[in-house]
Every structure is written in C-alpha cells, then in structure tokens.
Amino acid sequence: MIEQLKEQYVQMGIDPVIYNYASEIEAQLIERFAEIDAVAEYNQMKVIKAMQKNRVSAECFHSSSGYGYNDLGRDTLELVYADCFHAQAALVRPQITCGTHALALALMSNLRPGDELLSPVGKPYDTLEEVIGIRPSKGSLAEYGISYRQVDLLEDGSFDYDGIRAAINEKTKLVTIQRSKGYLMRKTLSVKEIGALISFVKQINPNIICMVDNCYGEFVETIEPSDVGADMIVGSLIKNPGGGLAPVGGYIVGKRACVENAAYRLTSPGLGKEVGASLGVIQSFYQGLFQAPVVVSGALKGAIFAARLYEKLGFQVLPDGTESRHDIIQAIALESPERLCAFCEGIQAGAPVDSYVTPEPWDMPGYDSKVIMAAGAFVQGSSIELSADGPLKPPYNVYFQGGLTWYHAKLGIMMSLQKLYERNLVNKTLL
Ligand SMILES: *Cc1c(COP(=O)(O)O)cnc(C)c1O
C-alpha cells in the first residue's frame, strides 16, 4: 500500500525526494494529529447534541421563498447554532453576505450615535477599517457619529492592560476582539486569553458589549469565546462553520438583546428575524455545520504539516510547528517573490478545481503592492478550502489556510514544495 501511495503521488507530479521528506515530517506528527482528532471528536458531539436537542428533522430542509415567514429550517438552525456555542440566540442567514458584512452588522446594530468602539487588540482586519471609518468610507460608523479607539498589543504580544483601562470611558459601548491574526504577523489569541481580556473589561464596566471576530477560529478548540463571556461572536459561513458546504452566509451568536438588534438591522425594525427566505441553501448550512469539526481538523493538520515542512528548510513560520493552535491560518516568510509565486502555483496545481490555471500577481484594490492568490475552490472565495495568498513585498509572506480534507491539504502543500524544488528555490541538501 505504501508503495502504491508513493506511486500515486509520483504520477501526480511529486518527486520521490519530496515524498520521502514529507513522509518523515508526517511521521513526527502522530501525537499532534491525535490531539487534533480528539478535539474534532469532542466538537462533533457538541454539534450532534445541539441538533438532537432541537429536533432537527427532514422538514427543516425545505426551502422557503418570498418573505420566508415561519421557516422552520431557518429558525431551528438558529437554535442549533445558539446551543452549539452555548449562547442565548443566533442569527444565521444567507442574507449575511460575508464575514465583513456580519461584523459590520453586529457593530452597526449595537452602536448608536455618540457611542465609542474600542479595539484592545490593535488594528482590526483590513476590511473593517472602512466599516469603522479608519479609512473614510460611505456609510461607515464614523459617518454616524460613532467614534473609535484602539490600544495596540504590547511588543511581546500581550494585552496592554494599563492602556486599555485608560482608553475605556463613559462613551465606550462595545469592545471588538479579533481572535485570528488575520494578515498580521501577530499571535492568534487563544479562547482563554480572550476570556481574561473580557473579564478585565467587564470589571471596569459590566455593561460594555464584548464582541469577538471569530473568523477562522471556530472548532479549533473545545471552547469558543461565547464560553468565556463574549456577548457576541461573529463569523463567516464560507470559513470554518460552513464546513465547505455552505455556499454563502454569516452568523452572529450571543446575548438575545445583541442578536435581536442585529436582526432588526439586517431586515427591518419591526420585522427582525421573522423574515428572510432560506432559498434552498439551508440544508447545506446544516450539513456544513455537521461536517465542520472534521473539516477544521483537516485544515489544522495541513497547517501544522506545512509549518514543520518549511521550518525544517530554514523558513520562518508563524505559528511554528510545535505551538498550540487557535486558528487555521499558517504564515510562512518565503523571502523572495519567486518563492511566493512558486508556492501559490503549487497550491493551485494541487486543487480539484482550476488546477490547470497559473495564478498571477495583480493590483488588488485596497493594497499597496501586488497580491498573488491561489484557490481552486468549489465555493468562490471560500477560504475553508485550501487557499493561499500573499502580498508581493518583503518578507514575502504567504498566508494559507483550509483544506476540506487533510489529504488534499497534504497534496497541495507537497505540490508547493515541489514547485520550489523544481526551480532550485530551496536548499536541496536539507531534503
Ligand atoms: C475573513 C475575515 C474577515 C472578513 O471576512 P470576509 O468574509 O472576507 O468579508 C474578518 N476578520 C477576520 C479575522 C477574517 O479572517
């Protein structure tokens, strides 16, 4: 079987040198993978338990149209999400178009003119700069008279508690905490660390709403920020909780009052959660959530495998191959544009969809350098599927994430190394 497997990889374009090197790395990860599997198993039970408790049935998979009144599937799914994340309520909708939209919705519906928003963990995700109005934009919070403050993390990545205490004032209404590093070279926050930060904020003023941008974090640990005091957690269904099957959507889970505010903003005052047709996608939301713990475990294995693979070749990786994981993103500093492009070409070449295309760097709106992206996904832009991107500027970091199955993640990563190997962009003596 081992020989057959090797032959299969060779036929797919992997050099035996790469295959052998990757096999050695994989063999060192047995214990790590077992831990990941245990978390996935725990989270799988969490999801099934929430589905059973809410009596999910075949009727839940019917589609609604028009106003979408009395949509049993939609309403039950929201109960399932609320239970799964141990919260009071949830809004899980295809009308929430992406993660940024979900975050904007949570912010705009819970803040009022004169309120202040605080980020105690530094600069938020790029797209939120326009939502907040850090970069002027039509319809931003700033346009509505909602001010913003930010306290950066300290040099060592820890919270600046003195700075946070000083920043909180009588206007502070909502604190936003981004769990994932996003596209920054900072640490991803663990749920435990987020819990400590929330306790600190609540001690100063228990009425401050604590919101967590949970993108890329769902099901990585056995607890979620909603287990440690977050009033709202927010994310995208084309990332972890959609399990690769949800074709669109976002969620807001948390305190009833917060979720209601969001529902009245998403649809209309007076209508709230009562409307919003599910248009045939709801079954994929259920199936995706059901699969999500295992899909996330595959993505995590891929991230750790890649960290080890590239670390041993002398590249700086974040997180490193041994650190505990709190999201599914892996950053690798490739240190040359040629390597960055070769890496992305490899990821693309290993994809089930669009494997024959060559990714090219392009001038993406909002970025100050060219960006290269690789993705061969079933759902457009889905980043729970194996995908990679990086800005063409030093240190030529590639950020990659996802993989609907561990085997696909493994192939994509081996293929990335194959491309570097073919072009003499790695130290071959280390292989
Ligand atoms: C992906 C992401 C977002 C925004 O999500 P989109 O779906 O791309 O709009 C926000 N915050 C973080 C940390 C993310 O990873």
Side-chain angles (χ1 to χ4, degrees):
M1 185 57 213
I2 304 268
E3 277 311 307
Q4 257 176 299
L5 186 59
K6 184 170 176 176
E7 182 51 33
Q8 185 73 276
Y9 277 110
V10 169
Q11 280 180 19
M12 292 185 79
I14 302 290
D15 192 285
V17 172
I18 303 291
Y19 178 84
N20 293 339
Y21 173 66
S23 300
E24 270 171 45
I25 297 286
E26 190 182 348
Q28 294 160 10
L29 291 171
I30 291 175
E31 276 173 38
R32 206 67 206 284
F33 282 14
E35 282 167 31
I36 291 170
D37 286 336
V39 172
E41 185 172 0
Y42 181 90
N43 286 328
Q44 182 75 79
M45 295 309 118
K46 195 153 83 174
V47 171
I48 294 174
K49 192 169 155 202
M51 290 190 175
Q52 290 179 346
K53 180 179 167 207
N54 291 290
R55 304 173 68 93
V56 172
S57 66
E59 281 83 74
C60 292
F61 306 144
H62 292 159
S63 180
S64 68
S65 60
Y67 294 105
Y69 290 133
N70 303 313
D71 185 326
L72 176 75
R74 176 197 66 206
D75 295 347
T76 304
L77 181 71
E78 289 179 342
L79 295 172
V80 168
Y81 260 75
D83 278 328
C84 185
F85 291 106
H86 306 128
Q88 292 174 349
L91 189 66
V92 187
R93 303 282 168 129
Q95 287 83 9
I96 301 176
T97 53
C98 60
T100 304
H101 185 190
L103 289 157
L105 179 62
L107 291 171
M108 292 178 165
S109 59
N110 281 286
L111 288 161
R112 296 290 178 272
D115 288 343
E116 189 159 278
L117 168 68
L118 170 68
S119 171
V121 295
K123 191 182 90 65
Y125 198 73
D126 275 357
T127 55
L128 284 190
E129 291 186 5
E130 284 173 279
V131 171
I132 295 168
I134 300 171
R135 271 187 282 142
S137 173
K138 289 203 169 69
S140 69
L141 292 174
E143 264 197 359
Y144 284 87
I146 295 158
S147 55
Y148 171 71
R149 257 177 221 254
Q150 175 177 315
V151 177
D152 290 336
L153 295 170
L154 295 174
E155 200 105 327
D156 65 354
S158 64
F159 303 127
D160 177 4
Y161 283 118
D162 292 336
I164 296 167
R165 193 196 319 273
I168 292 176
N169 59 68
E170 66 290 344
K171 284 169 63 184
T172 312
K173 172 77 172 297
L174 198 152
V175 159
T176 180
I177 302 167
Q178 184 179 310
R179 178 172 175 180
S180 170
K181 72 175 91 43
Y183 296 125
L184 293 173
M185 270 308 220
R186 72 134 155 106
K187 242 171 22 112
T188 288
L189 303 174
S190 71
V191 173
K192 199 168 157 224
E193 287 168 321
I194 290 171
L197 181 55
I198 292 173
S199 301
F200 180 79
V201 169
K202 296 274 185 187
Q203 241 169 19
I204 296 169
N205 179 355
N207 297 323
I208 292 174
I209 299 167
C210 292
M211 178 185 103
V212 175
D213 174 350
N214 209 25
C215 282
Y216 289 130
E218 299 91 350
F219 301 123
V220 171
E221 300 182 48
T222 55
I223 51 171
E224 298 288 339
S226 45
D227 291 306
V228 294
D231 299 297
M232 272 192 288
I233 60 171
V234 182
S236 164
L237 297 197
I238 63 167
K239 294 180 180 171
N240 305 14
L245 294 179
V248 68
Y251 77 88
I252 298 171
V253 170
K255 293 268 161 66
R256 187 161 283 111
C258 294
V259 172
E260 269 177 6
N261 278 335
Y264 287 122
R265 173 86 192 205
L266 175 65
T267 64
S268 156
L271 301 179
K273 292 175 93 175
E274 305 298 319
V275 296
S278 58
L279 299 171
V281 299
I282 212 78
Q283 183 176 348
S284 70
F285 284 16
Y286 279 99
Q287 279 183 292
L289 179 66
F290 175 73
Q291 306 262 40
V294 172
V295 170
V296 168
S297 74
L300 274 174
K301 288 176 185 175
I304 293 168
F305 176 68
R308 285 291 269 271
L309 206 69
Y310 278 92
E311 192 170 54
K312 299 237 158 155
L313 293 172
F315 295 98
Q316 196 208 335
V317 298
L318 188 83
D320 72 28
T322 58
E323 272 172 79
S324 67
R325 298 271 158 165
H326 309 292
D327 69 6
I328 62 168
I329 300 181
Q330 181 63 48
I332 305 171
L334 290 168
E335 274 154 17
S336 84
E338 293 79 20
R339 287 202 198 98
L340 176 57
C341 292
F343 185 101
C344 289
E345 284 175 38
I347 295 290
Q348 189 78 39
V353 180
D354 293 336
S355 61
Y356 53 87
V357 304
T358 305
E360 298 274 357
W362 62 297
D363 286 302
M364 211 175 127
Y367 287 82
D368 57 2
S369 64
K370 284 189 191 275
V371 176
I372 185 163
M373 299 185 158
F378 294 101
V379 171
Q380 252 187 55
S382 165
S383 48
I384 186 62
E385 299 187 50
L386 191 64
S387 44
D389 40 80
L392 262 87
K393 60 180 182 189
Y396 300 98
N397 280 331
V398 70
Y399 297 88
F400 86 92
Q401 62 275 315
L404 293 185
T405 71
W406 148 237
Y407 305 121
H408 173 228
K410 179 177 165 183
L411 172 67
I413 294 154
M414 284 165 76
M415 204 59 105
S416 75
L417 185 55
Q418 175 69 31
K419 297 284 178 195
L420 268 75
Y421 177 79
E422 284 169 9
R423 294 173 200 179
N424 289 315
L425 297 168
V426 285
N427 183 349
K428 290 188 173 175
T429 61
L430 293 173
L431 285 166

